[in-house]
Amino acid sequence: MPYVKKIFNACKDSFTPTGPISEEALEKVRAILDDLKAANVGLDQEAQAAKKWKPTANGNNGRKDRNGSQQYPPPIKYLHVHECESFSIGIFCMPPSSVIPLHNHPGMTVLSKLLYGSLLVRSYDWVDLPELPQSSQAARPAKLVKDCEMTAPCDTTVLYPTRGNIHCFKAITPCAFFDILTPPYSSEDGRHCSYFRKSLIQDLPDGIEEQLEGVDVSELVWLEEIQPPENFVVLRGHYKGPVPKK
């Protein structure tokens, strides 16, 4: 059985339109993903090339402005595999220096398996406060929960609806990761992707610190929602392997 078909069958048994049926079902999918390799999805040549990749003095291959200076990070390719009301499957292929900016997955669980290469990962949790000053309504406090470099081979990572849900990636080398979302994005159901940046707020408003019991203030940032960055480009590609049928 093709490995992607094995993953698809496990997702079909484990996920519903509201997410995983249980923690055990989620772990079943994660265990299968842990053994996934680039060759299983037709990316063996890209993985071998990534191992030989060396940074160059010319930088990355992003878009340039009229003067020829570097302006935007290089575009990312997304290979769509499958989507239904319970889950979506795809592969993100990231050239060096490309960035997936800070974004969220509202009400969703996300499994990501790095297939090859290295990338920087940063993720945050929202910090719930009983009240926010009127001056802070445009921004929400969040706590840094992960800030590290990942290099394949490595374990599958999981983002939960309330844990590590806001995250960003920056490719160090050519890299690719296999992505499963359950349930998938759906504007009709209130699950639409929002993008964020650090707010200009530098200091905690008066009275807030007393509400932050158990939170390290040094790990706290204020995030505000923004429009999708115009320099964030994702090109949709075609997955070359067998696509699971509904």
Side-chain angles (χ1 to χ4, degrees), residues 63-121:
R63 292 182 293 156
K64 301 179 184 298
D65 60 17
R66 294 179 179 179
N67 297 323
S69 60
Q70 191 65 48
Q71 189 73 15
Y72 300 125
I76 296 162
K77 180 178 287 187
Y78 176 74
L79 306 177
H80 175 72
V81 178
H82 175 81
E83 182 169 340
C84 61
E85 63 178 359
S86 298
F87 59 91
S88 64
I89 302 175
I91 304 169
F92 285 91
C93 300
M94 300 180 64
S97 300
S98 61
V99 175
I100 297 180
L102 198 62
H103 65 286
N104 68 348
H105 300 271
M108 303 156 67
T109 301
V110 183
L111 297 96
S112 300
K113 168 63 175 179
L114 187 62
L115 299 173
Y116 63 82
S118 300
L119 77 167
L120 296 173
V121 181

